[in-house]
Amino acid sequence: MHSLKIINLPVPEWNKAELAEMDRLNLAMDSCQRCPEKGYVAFPRPIDRGNASKRLWLIGQAPGFSEGERKIAFAGQAGRKLMQWFAQTGLTEEQVRDYFYLSAINKCYPGRATGGGGDRNPGPAERALCRPFLLRELELIRPKLVILVGSTAIKEVYGEKIKLEEIIGRPQEMTLGELKTRLETRLVRAGEALPAPGLAPHYGFNPAAPVHVFQLPHPSGASTWLNYPRNKALLNQALVDLKGRLDGLV
């Protein structure tokens, strides 16, 4: 796997064919020019995304500026806060980067938001252009557990009207097929063709397989959601629930 160049840990649950396919996928993401060709601002971020040695999948919004400097996912201030949250579940940063594949709705750095306030949030068309990569990750990783970090990732699964206080601290259970259908919705709305069936059946993708889905708020200081005590309580509950599930998986 492309990410093993940095962490250099074994991936016992992956066979050689899967590792080779994941390596090709990472390289394709690192060199993608779909958004710039459509006129959108996007800076490729060839980064280490973790091993997924336990077939766990974390999805954020998009890489930030710091990821380009350190060449690893969640390298900046928000990433440090996220790792502090994981410490409450009993995982070290090294374990997180080994057990999880650290993904994002968009794979490139979208630049700063106009007027300040953090990084720009990629628009619906940009998310659709990047969606085939996310769907292929799902097919290859076949996650046992998924963590959606931030409202952008959460809304891509539960819809634009979902509020953080309605879903943080309330883990969901669904099938891999249901999760795939929910992620395909962005392509359907954009009028984009769904990816042609790939080699997923060969690798054992089972649409009926269960997956546990957890939600966390965005750890960036630009978000004010955690300023409210009731929301901090929801985060704490989410971390307690996540620890309980992780204890049975890792």
Side-chain angles (χ1 to χ4, degrees), residues 47-196:
I47 57 177
D48 181 276
R49 300 179 177 92
N51 286 327
S53 69
K54 301 294 185 180
R55 292 197 181 277
L56 309 179
W57 197 28
L58 185 147
I59 307 173
Q61 174 177 303
F65 180 81
S66 297
E67 279 76 359
E69 293 184 320
R70 295 185 59 194
K71 306 298 183 184
I72 57 174
F74 293 95
Q77 180 180 352
R80 290 192 292 274
K81 174 61 70 174
L82 181 65
M83 296 305 167
Q84 290 173 12
W85 291 350
F86 269 115
Q88 295 182 49
T89 73
L91 295 186
T92 66
E93 180 172 347
E94 183 180 36
Q95 288 173 317
V96 172
R97 296 188 183 280
D98 177 26
Y99 298 163
F100 282 85
Y101 185 82
L102 304 173
S103 185
I105 295 298
N106 282 74
K107 313 304 181 186
C108 293
Y109 172 53
R112 299 290 289 176
T114 56
D119 294 336
R120 184 177 68 85
N121 190 2
E126 295 166 272
R127 298 177 207 172
L129 286 170
C130 209
R131 188 53 42 88
F133 291 132
L134 201 69
L135 293 171
R136 191 61 179 134
E137 291 171 17
L138 174 62
E139 291 175 343
L140 288 170
I141 298 169
R142 307 189 300 279
K144 303 171 184 176
L145 178 145
V146 176
I147 302 178
L148 306 171
V149 179
S151 61
T152 296
I154 290 171
K155 289 180 178 180
E156 289 299 305
V157 172
Y158 299 108
E160 293 291 336
K161 294 183 179 180
I162 192 74
K163 296 179 180 178
L164 292 182
E165 52 269 26
E166 296 173 340
I167 199 69
I168 303 294
R170 297 181 180 179
Q172 305 293 306
E173 293 190 18
M174 61 182 73
T175 64
L176 289 180
E178 182 181 355
L179 179 58
K180 184 171 184 283
T181 298
R182 287 169 179 251
L183 290 173
E184 287 174 339
T185 299
R186 177 63 62 190
L187 287 174
V188 174
R189 289 177 178 172
E192 297 279 345
L194 295 177

Side-chain angles (χ1 to χ4, degrees), residues 8-48:
N8 196 30
L9 293 172
V11 187
E13 295 195 18
W14 292 72
N15 61 44
K16 290 183 179 180
E18 291 174 318
L19 290 172
E21 183 67 15
M22 200 66 184
D23 192 47
R24 285 190 288 269
L25 178 62
N26 276 298
L27 291 173
M29 289 189 289
D30 292 344
S31 60
C32 180
Q33 292 293 314
R34 296 189 72 188
C35 284
E37 288 172 357
K38 296 286 186 178
Y40 298 110
V41 175
F43 302 94
R45 282 291 185 262
I47 57 177
D48 181 276

